[in-house]
Amino acid sequence: MFYLYPPRDSSSAGSWVQAIGSIVAICVAIFLSVEDKRQAAAVRRRELAEQRRADNEAKDRALTQLYMLAERAFQCVNNFRESLRAAQGEPPFVDVENIWDIHQKLLCVPTYALSSVNSARAFVLSDLLASFRGNLEAINATAGGRDLWHPRNPRWFKLARRLSSIKRQIEIDIRERGLQLPAWTAAE
């Protein structure tokens, strides 16, 4: 265009400079707008990635915490069954406070960070331990019969089997997420 209508005097040259300046200003404004949007999108992607990472870490911590409590519950019941064998039908020592501690800690596991299946497992574990504790207290209060303290009592066997099953399922979920089992439980 400039070649078709070259400036003939200073006023037309000023008009051409102003027109070219306006076009350059528009191009710069478009470029800056696009660049700002690109940078804002990159910041948003980084923020979302950071949020996903934080969410995954919370999920990993909650799942590991659930597994460790399931392991403690399983060990507690196994220790109880071993003490039943050693007591030979007499009431064994039972660490009811340890059972209550595990139960209370299960109630504090952030289930919002767990999958729905593992949240349900946490509630089942909590209920099993509350039931176990309640059974022990009821037996102690009524001076229950020797058959209740027998190591092969189906009640204790079913409880140990159920806890073992839940613990294994949580362990599978931990491995599927690519997590390591806690060092003190990995040897088992």
Side-chain angles (χ1 to χ4, degrees):
M1 218 43 188
F2 183 75
Y3 292 110
L4 294 177
Y5 303 101
R8 296 199 176 130
D9 57 17
S10 65
S11 69
S12 64
S15 297
W16 275 109
V17 169
Q18 183 180 5
I20 292 171
S22 296
I23 292 171
V24 169
I26 291 170
C27 290
V28 168
I30 291 171
F31 173 78
L32 291 176
S33 172
V34 168
E35 185 63 21
D36 281 348
K37 286 181 182 179
R38 188 186 65 75
Q39 286 179 358
V43 166
R44 180 72 181 139
R45 278 192 305 272
R46 280 193 302 274
E47 288 172 352
L48 286 174
E50 181 63 29
Q51 183 63 42
R52 269 193 303 272
R53 187 187 64 74
D55 289 348
N56 283 335
E57 285 178 1
K59 288 176 184 179
D60 294 349
R61 276 193 308 276
L63 187 58
T64 301
Q65 182 182 6
L66 178 61
Y67 176 78
M68 290 172 64
L69 290 169
E71 175 67 27
R72 273 185 66 194
F74 177 72
Q75 289 302 321
C76 188
V77 171
N78 268 354
N79 292 343
F80 169 72
R81 290 180 68 213
E82 288 299 319
S83 65
L84 282 176
R85 286 186 192 98
Q88 299 177 352
E90 296 299 319
F93 169 75
V94 181
D95 190 359
V96 177
E97 291 308 312
N98 188 29
I99 296 166
W100 186 246
D101 180 57
I102 297 167
H103 177 261
Q104 291 300 310
K105 287 183 178 172
L106 276 166
L107 296 176
C108 296
V109 171
T111 54
Y112 61 86
L114 295 171
S115 68
S116 57
V117 171
N118 282 321
S119 291
R121 289 176 185 147
F123 289 120
V124 168
L125 278 171
S126 179
D127 287 345
L128 285 172
L129 288 175
S131 174
F132 180 47
R133 181 176 185 242
N135 284 334
L136 292 173
E137 289 175 348
I139 291 168
N140 283 335
T142 61
R146 291 174 58 97
D147 60 322
L148 293 173
W149 296 116
H150 194 280
R152 296 190 196 273
N153 183 326
R155 175 183 294 169
W156 314 130
F157 179 73
K158 287 178 184 175
L159 177 63
R161 198 170 76 207
R162 188 100 188 264
L163 287 171
S164 175
S165 172
I166 291 171
K167 183 179 77 113
R168 271 195 314 273
Q169 292 166 346
I170 296 168
E171 184 177 327
I172 289 168
D173 288 351
I174 283 178
R175 292 178 195 261
E176 284 178 355
R177 282 189 65 81
L179 301 174
Q180 295 291 324
L181 293 175
W184 61 275
T185 63
E188 297 173 10

